[in-house]
Amino acid sequence: MRTLRILTGIGVMAAILALAVAGARPGGAQSREIVFSGYGGDYGELMKKLVVEPFEKRFNARVVYDATGSSAQKLAKLRATRDTYTFDVTVLTGYDLLAAGREGLMETIGPEKIPNLTKLYDFAQKEGQGWGPVTSVDPLILLYNRERVRPAPDSWTVMWDPRYRGKVAVSHVSEGKGLFLLLIAAYIGGGDEKRIDPGFARIRELVPNVGAWLTLSPQYVPYLQREDVWLTPYWNGRAQLMIDQGLPLGAVIPKEGTLAITNTFGVPKSARNKTLAYEFVNFYLAAPQQEAWARKIYYTPTNREVTLPAEYAGRVAVGAEAIGRLRFPDEDHLAKARGAWVERWNKEIYDALKYQK
């Protein structure tokens, strides 16, 4: 059965405002408590275990973990509340941090506030004008059901194969996976970030094969478990976790190559406890935390001091050479262009959905 899940603008805004009200607290005194706006699912559970709890113990602090929303939804929350306190630290994609920084929503972060910045690869030390470090990198892979998709795919184009009608899952372009799929579709069709028409054409052609339009990464898990979905673009880290859990899945970087997303930590200007927020970011960037994170969730660490045992080869990219093989989109262009692409997606792709046979 085809499933269409569209997160409406009204629903998002209502959730944002409700969270803002719930999160706002009187008083501006610096305490030993911060609110960290992270992600949910396995990501959230591991973040609590590997970073939050050790930080609380070492710094005699309390971290309230808010797992609500994607990066795009966190950016929307910052925009909606602006000067009102929402949280002290958040994780955003690089292009969302750029957008937030340009709109005056984020503090600049330098080594004087976060000494461990100097231990990161050069590209990761700051995003934009120093609104936050790149804390990890994660490539988009093609995730497939090993028992249903044979032979193992080696090209993104397998998603367009009529044999897989109704068995592909896709995210909306407002989310990272949907945005990167649009870019990959553009590359396949002869375009790129600045010539996006071929990407939209290829996505329209993909519509008949899409059986699930999803939003957040954890939403994919039951579809993959029930085998309602056999093929989907997905983030490598979370994909490797599902493979470890025994799901009959394979993860491949197709022959056309792939894009990698940058994850950043940022401190809003409206943060209530900036000093402790900087300590939290500095703690996360240290080699022990970055290594533990990479071992458990397979995100590429950005601290130059991190190494991993040989058994992680092929499952997580570590080191300057491996990172150099990943392709990074023009985040500055994405931050500027995505709004127009969202409007175009809402018209063209939903029209294609409406009229498909």
Side-chain angles (χ1 to χ4, degrees):
M1 177 179 178
R2 292 179 62 79
T3 302
L4 172 63
R5 293 191 173 186
I6 303 171
L7 195 57
T8 67
I10 294 174
V12 171
M13 188 58 67
I16 288 166
L17 294 176
L19 285 166
V21 171
R25 299 195 314 178
Q30 297 281 295
S31 69
R32 301 304 292 169
E33 178 179 305
I34 55 172
V35 175
F36 172 56
S37 179
Y39 298 132
D42 290 330
Y43 178 104
E45 294 307 309
L46 286 172
M47 181 60 76
K48 291 175 190 173
K49 179 180 178 181
L50 300 176
V51 181
V52 169
E53 292 172 7
F55 175 80
E56 290 178 323
K57 185 175 181 180
R58 182 177 300 181
F59 290 85
N60 188 29
R62 179 168 181 262
V63 178
V64 178
Y65 192 89
D66 174 8
T68 307
S70 64
S71 175
Q73 290 168 330
K74 295 176 194 306
L75 175 59
K77 183 176 180 178
L78 282 166
R79 285 169 167 162
T81 56
R82 198 159 186 92
D83 298 327
T84 304
Y85 172 69
T86 50
F87 37 70
D88 299 283
V89 186
T90 188
V91 55
L92 297 170
T93 62
Y95 47 85
D96 282 336
L97 184 73
L98 281 174
R102 286 202 186 96
E103 293 170 28
L105 299 173
M106 308 304 292
E107 285 287 350
T108 55
I109 293 175
E112 72 285 358
K113 297 174 181 173
I114 301 177
N116 281 333
L117 274 177
T118 59
K119 297 179 180 177
L120 306 187
Y121 294 107
D122 290 346
F123 82 94
Q125 292 192 14
K126 64 179 183 179
E127 188 67 90
Q129 297 177 25
W131 293 305
V134 176
T135 55
S136 62
V137 169
D138 201 23
L140 193 74
I141 52 87
L142 178 57
L143 188 63
Y144 65 98
N145 185 309
R146 295 197 312 270
E147 297 173 356
R148 302 289 186 178
V149 182
R150 294 180 176 176
D154 65 353
S155 170
W156 290 107
T157 59
V158 72
M159 292 191 297
W160 281 261
D161 190 320
R163 290 181 298 166
Y164 302 120
R165 185 181 180 97
K167 294 300 181 183
V168 174
V170 167
S171 283
H172 188 268
V173 72
S174 61
E175 305 299 331
K177 292 185 291 298
L179 178 63
F180 277 28
L181 174 62
L182 175 63
L183 297 177
I184 287 170
Y187 301 154
I188 292 172
D192 54 33
E193 290 97 321
K194 298 178 182 175
R195 293 176 296 157
I196 204 66
D197 286 355
F200 277 100
R202 292 290 287 178
I203 298 295
R204 288 196 299 271
E205 294 168 2
L206 182 62
V207 166
N209 277 15
V210 180
W213 299 84
L214 305 175
T215 303
L216 304 176
S217 293
Q219 293 175 345
Y220 284 68
V221 177
Y223 284 87
L224 292 162
Q225 289 173 326
R226 293 192 306 260
E227 300 190 349
D228 292 339
V229 165
W230 297 353
L231 284 161
T232 186
Y234 205 68
W235 300 124
N236 178 65
R238 289 178 184 262
Q240 298 296 339
L241 286 178
M242 285 192 281
I243 292 170
D244 282 349
Q245 291 163 5
L247 271 67
L249 300 172
V252 63
I253 293 180
K255 61 186 179 185
E256 297 90 351
T258 192
L259 294 161
I261 198 167
T262 56
N263 299 305
T264 68
F265 274 13
V267 176
K269 286 190 173 178
S270 60
R272 183 182 57 217
N273 196 342
K274 293 176 185 173
T275 300
L276 192 59
Y278 297 143
E279 289 177 348
F280 181 75
V281 177
N282 192 58
F283 179 77
Y284 176 71
L285 294 181
Q289 280 69 49
Q290 288 249 309
E291 180 176 339
W293 189 242
R295 281 173 176 258
K296 291 295 185 182
I297 200 168
Y298 302 96
Y299 280 27
T300 295
T302 53
N303 187 315
R304 293 191 302 266
E305 298 175 353
V306 175
T307 59
L308 291 180
E311 60 261 34
Y312 287 86
R315 303 191 72 184
V316 55
V318 176
E321 184 179 347
I323 293 173
R325 289 196 292 269
L326 300 174
R327 179 172 180 171
F328 294 90
D330 182 342
E331 292 184 333
D332 188 65
H333 184 72
L334 297 191
K336 296 174 182 173
R338 191 175 54 165
W341 293 349
V342 168
E343 291 183 11
R344 186 172 173 182
W345 181 288
N346 289 342
K347 183 177 186 307
E348 294 185 21
I349 307 306
Y350 291 162
D351 277 353
L353 264 171
K354 195 184 309 178
Y355 297 116
Q356 73 164 311
K357 296 181 180 177

